[in-house]
mmCIF file with all atom_site columns, all heavy atoms in Angstrom:
data_model
loop_
_atom_site.group_PDB
_atom_site.id
_atom_site.type_symbol
_atom_site.label_atom_id
_atom_site.label_alt_id
_atom_site.label_comp_id
_atom_site.label_asym_id
_atom_site.label_entity_id
_atom_site.label_seq_id
_atom_site.pdbx_PDB_ins_code
_atom_site.Cartn_x
_atom_site.Cartn_y
_atom_site.Cartn_z
_atom_site.occupancy
_atom_site.B_iso_or_equiv
_atom_site.pdbx_formal_charge
_atom_site.auth_seq_id
_atom_site.auth_comp_id
_atom_site.auth_asym_id
_atom_site.auth_atom_id
_atom_site.pdbx_PDB_model_num
ATOM 1   N N   . VAL A 1 1  ? 50.971 -18.018 -104.168 1.00 0.00 ? 91  VAL A N   1
ATOM 2   C CA  . VAL A 1 1  ? 50.990 -17.252 -105.525 1.00 0.00 ? 91  VAL A CA  1
ATOM 3   C C   . VAL A 1 1  ? 52.412 -16.527 -105.754 1.00 0.00 ? 91  VAL A C   1
ATOM 4   O O   . VAL A 1 1  ? 53.041 -16.532 -106.813 1.00 0.00 ? 91  VAL A O   1
ATOM 5   C CB  . VAL A 1 1  ? 49.829 -16.111 -105.506 1.00 0.00 ? 91  VAL A CB  1
ATOM 6   C CG1 . VAL A 1 1  ? 50.125 -15.061 -106.610 1.00 0.00 ? 91  VAL A CG1 1
ATOM 7   C CG2 . VAL A 1 1  ? 48.529 -16.810 -105.478 1.00 0.00 ? 91  VAL A CG2 1
ATOM 8   N N   . ALA A 1 2  ? 53.007 -16.048 -104.497 1.00 0.00 ? 92  ALA A N   1
ATOM 9   C CA  . ALA A 1 2  ? 54.423 -15.484 -104.613 1.00 0.00 ? 92  ALA A CA  1
ATOM 10  C C   . ALA A 1 2  ? 55.349 -16.626 -105.137 1.00 0.00 ? 92  ALA A C   1
ATOM 11  O O   . ALA A 1 2  ? 56.252 -16.288 -105.898 1.00 0.00 ? 92  ALA A O   1
ATOM 12  C CB  . ALA A 1 2  ? 54.848 -14.929 -103.298 1.00 0.00 ? 92  ALA A CB  1
ATOM 13  N N   . LEU A 1 3  ? 55.123 -17.733 -104.600 1.00 0.00 ? 93  LEU A N   1
ATOM 14  C CA  . LEU A 1 3  ? 56.077 -18.891 -105.092 1.00 0.00 ? 93  LEU A CA  1
ATOM 15  C C   . LEU A 1 3  ? 55.854 -19.097 -106.699 1.00 0.00 ? 93  LEU A C   1
ATOM 16  O O   . LEU A 1 3  ? 56.773 -19.305 -107.407 1.00 0.00 ? 93  LEU A O   1
ATOM 17  C CB  . LEU A 1 3  ? 55.781 -20.160 -104.510 1.00 0.00 ? 93  LEU A CB  1
ATOM 18  C CG  . LEU A 1 3  ? 56.396 -20.247 -102.951 1.00 0.00 ? 93  LEU A CG  1
ATOM 19  C CD1 . LEU A 1 3  ? 55.671 -21.497 -102.302 1.00 0.00 ? 93  LEU A CD1 1
ATOM 20  C CD2 . LEU A 1 3  ? 57.940 -20.527 -103.129 1.00 0.00 ? 93  LEU A CD2 1
ATOM 21  N N   . GLY A 1 4  ? 54.509 -19.122 -107.099 1.00 0.00 ? 94  GLY A N   1
ATOM 22  C CA  . GLY A 1 4  ? 54.189 -19.391 -108.415 1.00 0.00 ? 94  GLY A CA  1
ATOM 23  C C   . GLY A 1 4  ? 54.706 -18.281 -109.437 1.00 0.00 ? 94  GLY A C   1
ATOM 24  O O   . GLY A 1 4  ? 55.078 -18.607 -110.542 1.00 0.00 ? 94  GLY A O   1
ATOM 25  N N   . TRP A 1 5  ? 54.808 -16.983 -108.901 1.00 0.00 ? 95  TRP A N   1
ATOM 26  C CA  . TRP A 1 5  ? 55.218 -15.989 -109.712 1.00 0.00 ? 95  TRP A CA  1
ATOM 27  C C   . TRP A 1 5  ? 56.720 -15.801 -109.712 1.00 0.00 ? 95  TRP A C   1
ATOM 28  O O   . TRP A 1 5  ? 57.403 -14.921 -110.255 1.00 0.00 ? 95  TRP A O   1
ATOM 29  C CB  . TRP A 1 5  ? 54.631 -14.588 -109.273 1.00 0.00 ? 95  TRP A CB  1
ATOM 30  C CG  . TRP A 1 5  ? 53.194 -14.483 -109.450 1.00 0.00 ? 95  TRP A CG  1
ATOM 31  C CD1 . TRP A 1 5  ? 52.394 -15.257 -110.372 1.00 0.00 ? 95  TRP A CD1 1
ATOM 32  C CD2 . TRP A 1 5  ? 52.395 -13.449 -109.055 1.00 0.00 ? 95  TRP A CD2 1
ATOM 33  N NE1 . TRP A 1 5  ? 51.141 -14.780 -110.359 1.00 0.00 ? 95  TRP A NE1 1
ATOM 34  C CE2 . TRP A 1 5  ? 50.959 -13.648 -109.618 1.00 0.00 ? 95  TRP A CE2 1
ATOM 35  C CE3 . TRP A 1 5  ? 52.428 -12.350 -108.205 1.00 0.00 ? 95  TRP A CE3 1
ATOM 36  C CZ2 . TRP A 1 5  ? 49.820 -12.882 -109.344 1.00 0.00 ? 95  TRP A CZ2 1
ATOM 37  C CZ3 . TRP A 1 5  ? 51.365 -11.647 -107.839 1.00 0.00 ? 95  TRP A CZ3 1
ATOM 38  C CH2 . TRP A 1 5  ? 50.052 -11.907 -108.402 1.00 0.00 ? 95  TRP A CH2 1
ATOM 39  N N   . GLY A 1 6  ? 57.402 -16.712 -108.909 1.00 0.00 ? 96  GLY A N   1
ATOM 40  C CA  . GLY A 1 6  ? 58.848 -16.508 -108.747 1.00 0.00 ? 96  GLY A CA  1
ATOM 41  C C   . GLY A 1 6  ? 59.322 -15.452 -107.985 1.00 0.00 ? 96  GLY A C   1
ATOM 42  O O   . GLY A 1 6  ? 60.501 -15.194 -107.979 1.00 0.00 ? 96  GLY A O   1
ATOM 43  N N   . LYS A 1 7  ? 58.610 -14.878 -107.144 1.00 0.00 ? 97  LYS A N   1
ATOM 44  C CA  . LYS A 1 7  ? 59.003 -13.778 -106.204 1.00 0.00 ? 97  LYS A CA  1
ATOM 45  C C   . LYS A 1 7  ? 59.483 -14.227 -104.974 1.00 0.00 ? 97  LYS A C   1
ATOM 46  O O   . LYS A 1 7  ? 60.143 -13.539 -104.173 1.00 0.00 ? 97  LYS A O   1
ATOM 47  C CB  . LYS A 1 7  ? 57.711 -12.820 -106.078 1.00 0.00 ? 97  LYS A CB  1
ATOM 48  C CG  . LYS A 1 7  ? 57.288 -12.075 -107.239 1.00 0.00 ? 97  LYS A CG  1
ATOM 49  C CD  . LYS A 1 7  ? 56.172 -11.153 -106.741 1.00 0.00 ? 97  LYS A CD  1
ATOM 50  C CE  . LYS A 1 7  ? 55.767 -10.283 -107.961 1.00 0.00 ? 97  LYS A CE  1
ATOM 51  N NZ  . LYS A 1 7  ? 54.867 -9.301  -107.585 1.00 0.00 ? 97  LYS A NZ  1
ATOM 52  N N   . LEU A 1 8  ? 59.282 -15.571 -104.629 1.00 0.00 ? 98  LEU A N   1
ATOM 53  C CA  . LEU A 1 8  ? 59.664 -16.063 -103.377 1.00 0.00 ? 98  LEU A CA  1
ATOM 54  C C   . LEU A 1 8  ? 60.274 -17.447 -103.571 1.00 0.00 ? 98  LEU A C   1
ATOM 55  O O   . LEU A 1 8  ? 59.753 -18.229 -104.426 1.00 0.00 ? 98  LEU A O   1
ATOM 56  C CB  . LEU A 1 8  ? 58.293 -16.194 -102.507 1.00 0.00 ? 98  LEU A CB  1
ATOM 57  C CG  . LEU A 1 8  ? 58.379 -16.675 -101.001 1.00 0.00 ? 98  LEU A CG  1
ATOM 58  C CD1 . LEU A 1 8  ? 59.308 -15.736 -100.214 1.00 0.00 ? 98  LEU A CD1 1
ATOM 59  C CD2 . LEU A 1 8  ? 56.988 -16.735 -100.501 1.00 0.00 ? 98  LEU A CD2 1
ATOM 60  N N   . GLN A 1 9  ? 61.209 -17.757 -102.809 1.00 0.00 ? 99  GLN A N   1
ATOM 61  C CA  . GLN A 1 9  ? 61.836 -18.954 -102.901 1.00 0.00 ? 99  GLN A CA  1
ATOM 62  C C   . GLN A 1 9  ? 61.866 -19.786 -101.451 1.00 0.00 ? 99  GLN A C   1
ATOM 63  O O   . GLN A 1 9  ? 62.329 -19.004 -100.430 1.00 0.00 ? 99  GLN A O   1
ATOM 64  C CB  . GLN A 1 9  ? 63.363 -18.868 -103.403 1.00 0.00 ? 99  GLN A CB  1
ATOM 65  C CG  . GLN A 1 9  ? 63.566 -18.392 -104.792 1.00 0.00 ? 99  GLN A CG  1
ATOM 66  C CD  . GLN A 1 9  ? 62.957 -19.108 -105.886 1.00 0.00 ? 99  GLN A CD  1
ATOM 67  O OE1 . GLN A 1 9  ? 63.063 -20.318 -105.858 1.00 0.00 ? 99  GLN A OE1 1
ATOM 68  N NE2 . GLN A 1 9  ? 62.269 -18.414 -106.851 1.00 0.00 ? 99  GLN A NE2 1
ATOM 69  N N   . LEU A 1 10 ? 61.365 -20.722 -101.301 1.00 0.00 ? 100 LEU A N   1
ATOM 70  C CA  . LEU A 1 10 ? 61.135 -21.442 -100.063 1.00 0.00 ? 100 LEU A CA  1
ATOM 71  C C   . LEU A 1 10 ? 61.553 -22.937 -100.288 1.00 0.00 ? 100 LEU A C   1
ATOM 72  O O   . LEU A 1 10 ? 61.313 -23.491 -101.307 1.00 0.00 ? 100 LEU A O   1
ATOM 73  C CB  . LEU A 1 10 ? 59.749 -21.485 -99.555  1.00 0.00 ? 100 LEU A CB  1
ATOM 74  C CG  . LEU A 1 10 ? 59.128 -19.980 -99.237  1.00 0.00 ? 100 LEU A CG  1
ATOM 75  C CD1 . LEU A 1 10 ? 57.702 -20.147 -98.931  1.00 0.00 ? 100 LEU A CD1 1
ATOM 76  C CD2 . LEU A 1 10 ? 59.876 -19.364 -98.148  1.00 0.00 ? 100 LEU A CD2 1
ATOM 77  N N   . GLU A 1 11 ? 62.019 -23.570 -99.105  1.00 0.00 ? 101 GLU A N   1
ATOM 78  C CA  . GLU A 1 11 ? 62.066 -25.005 -98.991  1.00 0.00 ? 101 GLU A CA  1
ATOM 79  C C   . GLU A 1 11 ? 60.789 -25.642 -98.691  1.00 0.00 ? 101 GLU A C   1
ATOM 80  O O   . GLU A 1 11 ? 60.413 -26.726 -99.150  1.00 0.00 ? 101 GLU A O   1
ATOM 81  C CB  . GLU A 1 11 ? 63.202 -25.315 -98.005  1.00 0.00 ? 101 GLU A CB  1
ATOM 82  C CG  . GLU A 1 11 ? 64.407 -24.945 -98.420  1.00 0.00 ? 101 GLU A CG  1
ATOM 83  C CD  . GLU A 1 11 ? 65.590 -25.228 -97.414  1.00 0.00 ? 101 GLU A CD  1
ATOM 84  O OE1 . GLU A 1 11 ? 65.343 -25.757 -96.388  1.00 0.00 ? 101 GLU A OE1 1
ATOM 85  O OE2 . GLU A 1 11 ? 66.832 -24.842 -97.663  1.00 0.00 ? 101 GLU A OE2 1
ATOM 86  N N   . LYS A 1 12 ? 60.025 -24.909 -97.688  1.00 0.00 ? 102 LYS A N   1
ATOM 87  C CA  . LYS A 1 12 ? 58.691 -25.592 -97.202  1.00 0.00 ? 102 LYS A CA  1
ATOM 88  C C   . LYS A 1 12 ? 57.784 -24.499 -96.941  1.00 0.00 ? 102 LYS A C   1
ATOM 89  O O   . LYS A 1 12 ? 58.136 -23.318 -96.657  1.00 0.00 ? 102 LYS A O   1
ATOM 90  C CB  . LYS A 1 12 ? 59.150 -26.298 -95.888  1.00 0.00 ? 102 LYS A CB  1
ATOM 91  C CG  . LYS A 1 12 ? 60.002 -27.496 -96.003  1.00 0.00 ? 102 LYS A CG  1
ATOM 92  C CD  . LYS A 1 12 ? 60.201 -28.103 -94.670  1.00 0.00 ? 102 LYS A CD  1
ATOM 93  C CE  . LYS A 1 12 ? 61.283 -29.323 -94.942  1.00 0.00 ? 102 LYS A CE  1
ATOM 94  N NZ  . LYS A 1 12 ? 61.653 -29.896 -93.673  1.00 0.00 ? 102 LYS A NZ  1
ATOM 95  N N   . ILE A 1 13 ? 56.533 -24.836 -96.901  1.00 0.00 ? 103 ILE A N   1
ATOM 96  C CA  . ILE A 1 13 ? 55.485 -23.945 -96.749  1.00 0.00 ? 103 ILE A CA  1
ATOM 97  C C   . ILE A 1 13 ? 54.391 -24.812 -95.982  1.00 0.00 ? 103 ILE A C   1
ATOM 98  O O   . ILE A 1 13 ? 54.181 -25.970 -96.312  1.00 0.00 ? 103 ILE A O   1
ATOM 99  C CB  . ILE A 1 13 ? 54.976 -23.449 -97.968  1.00 0.00 ? 103 ILE A CB  1
ATOM 100 C CG1 . ILE A 1 13 ? 53.703 -22.282 -97.700  1.00 0.00 ? 103 ILE A CG1 1
ATOM 101 C CG2 . ILE A 1 13 ? 54.384 -24.395 -99.055  1.00 0.00 ? 103 ILE A CG2 1
ATOM 102 C CD1 . ILE A 1 13 ? 53.436 -21.567 -98.955  1.00 0.00 ? 103 ILE A CD1 1
ATOM 103 N N   . VAL A 1 14 ? 53.666 -24.164 -94.981  1.00 0.00 ? 104 VAL A N   1
ATOM 104 C CA  . VAL A 1 14 ? 52.695 -24.572 -94.326  1.00 0.00 ? 104 VAL A CA  1
ATOM 105 C C   . VAL A 1 14 ? 51.383 -23.867 -94.617  1.00 0.00 ? 104 VAL A C   1
ATOM 106 O O   . VAL A 1 14 ? 51.325 -22.525 -94.371  1.00 0.00 ? 104 VAL A O   1
ATOM 107 C CB  . VAL A 1 14 ? 52.828 -24.727 -92.805  1.00 0.00 ? 104 VAL A CB  1
ATOM 108 C CG1 . VAL A 1 14 ? 51.676 -25.360 -92.142  1.00 0.00 ? 104 VAL A CG1 1
ATOM 109 C CG2 . VAL A 1 14 ? 54.012 -25.553 -92.410  1.00 0.00 ? 104 VAL A CG2 1
ATOM 110 N N   . LEU A 1 15 ? 50.321 -24.357 -95.187  1.00 0.00 ? 105 LEU A N   1
ATOM 111 C CA  . LEU A 1 15 ? 49.095 -23.572 -95.605  1.00 0.00 ? 105 LEU A CA  1
ATOM 112 C C   . LEU A 1 15 ? 48.000 -24.057 -94.612  1.00 0.00 ? 105 LEU A C   1
ATOM 113 O O   . LEU A 1 15 ? 47.585 -25.305 -94.623  1.00 0.00 ? 105 LEU A O   1
ATOM 114 C CB  . LEU A 1 15 ? 48.656 -23.989 -97.023  1.00 0.00 ? 105 LEU A CB  1
ATOM 115 C CG  . LEU A 1 15 ? 49.791 -23.444 -98.105  1.00 0.00 ? 105 LEU A CG  1
ATOM 116 C CD1 . LEU A 1 15 ? 49.807 -24.581 -99.156  1.00 0.00 ? 105 LEU A CD1 1
ATOM 117 C CD2 . LEU A 1 15 ? 49.550 -22.206 -98.539  1.00 0.00 ? 105 LEU A CD2 1
ATOM 118 N N   . ILE A 1 16 ? 47.478 -23.100 -93.823  1.00 0.00 ? 106 ILE A N   1
ATOM 119 C CA  . ILE A 1 16 ? 46.335 -23.475 -92.963  1.00 0.00 ? 106 ILE A CA  1
ATOM 120 C C   . ILE A 1 16 ? 45.200 -22.945 -93.455  1.00 0.00 ? 106 ILE A C   1
ATOM 121 O O   . ILE A 1 16 ? 45.022 -21.711 -93.611  1.00 0.00 ? 106 ILE A O   1
ATOM 122 C CB  . ILE A 1 16 ? 46.836 -23.052 -91.495  1.00 0.00 ? 106 ILE A CB  1
ATOM 123 C CG1 . ILE A 1 16 ? 48.084 -23.481 -91.083  1.00 0.00 ? 106 ILE A CG1 1
ATOM 124 C CG2 . ILE A 1 16 ? 45.705 -23.269 -90.421  1.00 0.00 ? 106 ILE A CG2 1
ATOM 125 C CD1 . ILE A 1 16 ? 48.649 -22.815 -89.969  1.00 0.00 ? 106 ILE A CD1 1
ATOM 126 N N   . SER A 1 17 ? 44.158 -23.826 -93.627  1.00 0.00 ? 107 SER A N   1
ATOM 127 C CA  . SER A 1 17 ? 42.904 -23.492 -94.144  1.00 0.00 ? 107 SER A CA  1
ATOM 128 C C   . SER A 1 17 ? 42.892 -22.490 -95.401  1.00 0.00 ? 107 SER A C   1
ATOM 129 O O   . SER A 1 17 ? 42.364 -21.533 -95.546  1.00 0.00 ? 107 SER A O   1
ATOM 130 C CB  . SER A 1 17 ? 42.123 -22.591 -93.153  1.00 0.00 ? 107 SER A CB  1
ATOM 131 O OG  . SER A 1 17 ? 42.138 -23.292 -91.828  1.00 0.00 ? 107 SER A OG  1
ATOM 132 N N   . PRO A 1 18 ? 43.655 -22.991 -96.447  1.00 0.00 ? 108 PRO A N   1
ATOM 133 C CA  . PRO A 1 18 ? 43.763 -22.205 -97.643  1.00 0.00 ? 108 PRO A CA  1
ATOM 134 C C   . PRO A 1 18 ? 42.580 -22.277 -98.571  1.00 0.00 ? 108 PRO A C   1
ATOM 135 O O   . PRO A 1 18 ? 41.894 -23.402 -98.547  1.00 0.00 ? 108 PRO A O   1
ATOM 136 C CB  . PRO A 1 18 ? 44.943 -22.837 -98.368  1.00 0.00 ? 108 PRO A CB  1
ATOM 137 C CG  . PRO A 1 18 ? 44.907 -24.316 -97.919  1.00 0.00 ? 108 PRO A CG  1
ATOM 138 C CD  . PRO A 1 18 ? 44.472 -24.287 -96.578  1.00 0.00 ? 108 PRO A CD  1
ATOM 139 N N   . PRO A 1 19 ? 42.184 -21.244 -99.326  1.00 0.00 ? 109 PRO A N   1
ATOM 140 C CA  . PRO A 1 19 ? 41.123 -21.236 -100.247 1.00 0.00 ? 109 PRO A CA  1
ATOM 141 C C   . PRO A 1 19 ? 41.686 -21.907 -101.547 1.00 0.00 ? 109 PRO A C   1
ATOM 142 O O   . PRO A 1 19 ? 42.812 -21.877 -101.993 1.00 0.00 ? 109 PRO A O   1
ATOM 143 C CB  . PRO A 1 19 ? 40.878 -19.889 -100.494 1.00 0.00 ? 109 PRO A CB  1
ATOM 144 C CG  . PRO A 1 19 ? 42.170 -19.151 -100.371 1.00 0.00 ? 109 PRO A CG  1
ATOM 145 C CD  . PRO A 1 19 ? 42.934 -19.897 -99.206  1.00 0.00 ? 109 PRO A CD  1
ATOM 146 N N   . ALA A 1 20 ? 40.771 -22.732 -102.193 1.00 0.00 ? 110 ALA A N   1
ATOM 147 C CA  . ALA A 1 20 ? 41.146 -23.304 -103.463 1.00 0.00 ? 110 ALA A CA  1
ATOM 148 C C   . ALA A 1 20 ? 40.324 -22.601 -104.615 1.00 0.00 ? 110 ALA A C   1
ATOM 149 O O   . ALA A 1 20 ? 40.709 -22.757 -105.789 1.00 0.00 ? 110 ALA A O   1
ATOM 150 C CB  . ALA A 1 20 ? 40.839 -24.821 -103.596 1.00 0.00 ? 110 ALA A CB  1
ATOM 151 N N   . ASP A 1 21 ? 39.266 -21.931 -104.350 1.00 0.00 ? 111 ASP A N   1
ATOM 152 C CA  . ASP A 1 21 ? 38.404 -21.462 -105.224 1.00 0.00 ? 111 ASP A CA  1
ATOM 153 C C   . ASP A 1 21 ? 37.973 -19.980 -104.831 1.00 0.00 ? 111 ASP A C   1
ATOM 154 O O   . ASP A 1 21 ? 37.117 -19.706 -103.774 1.00 0.00 ? 111 ASP A O   1
ATOM 155 C CB  . ASP A 1 21 ? 37.130 -22.272 -105.393 1.00 0.00 ? 111 ASP A CB  1
ATOM 156 C CG  . ASP A 1 21 ? 36.006 -21.650 -106.194 1.00 0.00 ? 111 ASP A CG  1
ATOM 157 O OD1 . ASP A 1 21 ? 36.159 -20.784 -106.828 1.00 0.00 ? 111 ASP A OD1 1
ATOM 158 O OD2 . ASP A 1 21 ? 34.955 -22.295 -106.129 1.00 0.00 ? 111 ASP A OD2 1
ATOM 159 N N   . LEU A 1 22 ? 38.529 -19.036 -105.251 1.00 0.00 ? 112 LEU A N   1
ATOM 160 C CA  . LEU A 1 22 ? 38.389 -17.613 -104.867 1.00 0.00 ? 112 LEU A CA  1
ATOM 161 C C   . LEU A 1 22 ? 36.972 -17.111 -105.242 1.00 0.00 ? 112 LEU A C   1
ATOM 162 O O   . LEU A 1 22 ? 36.285 -16.412 -104.491 1.00 0.00 ? 112 LEU A O   1
ATOM 163 C CB  . LEU A 1 22 ? 39.331 -16.640 -105.344 1.00 0.00 ? 112 LEU A CB  1
ATOM 164 C CG  . LEU A 1 22 ? 40.831 -16.822 -104.913 1.00 0.00 ? 112 LEU A CG  1
ATOM 165 C CD1 . LEU A 1 22 ? 41.806 -15.930 -105.644 1.00 0.00 ? 112 LEU A CD1 1
ATOM 166 C CD2 . LEU A 1 22 ? 40.970 -16.752 -103.386 1.00 0.00 ? 112 LEU A CD2 1
ATOM 167 N N   . VAL A 1 23 ? 36.478 -17.406 -106.433 1.00 0.00 ? 113 VAL A N   1
ATOM 168 C CA  . VAL A 1 23 ? 35.116 -16.977 -106.791 1.00 0.00 ? 113 VAL A CA  1
ATOM 169 C C   . VAL A 1 23 ? 34.083 -17.643 -105.860 1.00 0.00 ? 113 VAL A C   1
ATOM 170 O O   . VAL A 1 23 ? 33.277 -16.924 -105.308 1.00 0.00 ? 113 VAL A O   1
ATOM 171 C CB  . VAL A 1 23 ? 34.872 -17.279 -108.241 1.00 0.00 ? 113 VAL A CB  1
ATOM 172 C CG1 . VAL A 1 23 ? 33.482 -17.051 -108.795 1.00 0.00 ? 113 VAL A CG1 1
ATOM 173 C CG2 . VAL A 1 23 ? 35.897 -16.556 -109.204 1.00 0.00 ? 113 VAL A CG2 1
ATOM 174 N N   . GLY A 1 24 ? 34.217 -18.818 -105.704 1.00 0.00 ? 114 GLY A N   1
ATOM 175 C CA  . GLY A 1 24 ? 33.253 -19.569 -104.808 1.00 0.00 ? 114 GLY A CA  1
ATOM 176 C C   . GLY A 1 24 ? 33.339 -18.985 -103.383 1.00 0.00 ? 114 GLY A C   1
ATOM 177 O O   . GLY A 1 24 ? 32.272 -18.727 -102.757 1.00 0.00 ? 114 GLY A O   1
#
């Protein structure tokens, strides 16, 4: 989300067990 909002700039990211559906 920080990347999407432009608050964070990264070359790479590792997401471990991320949620895709917060409501669910």
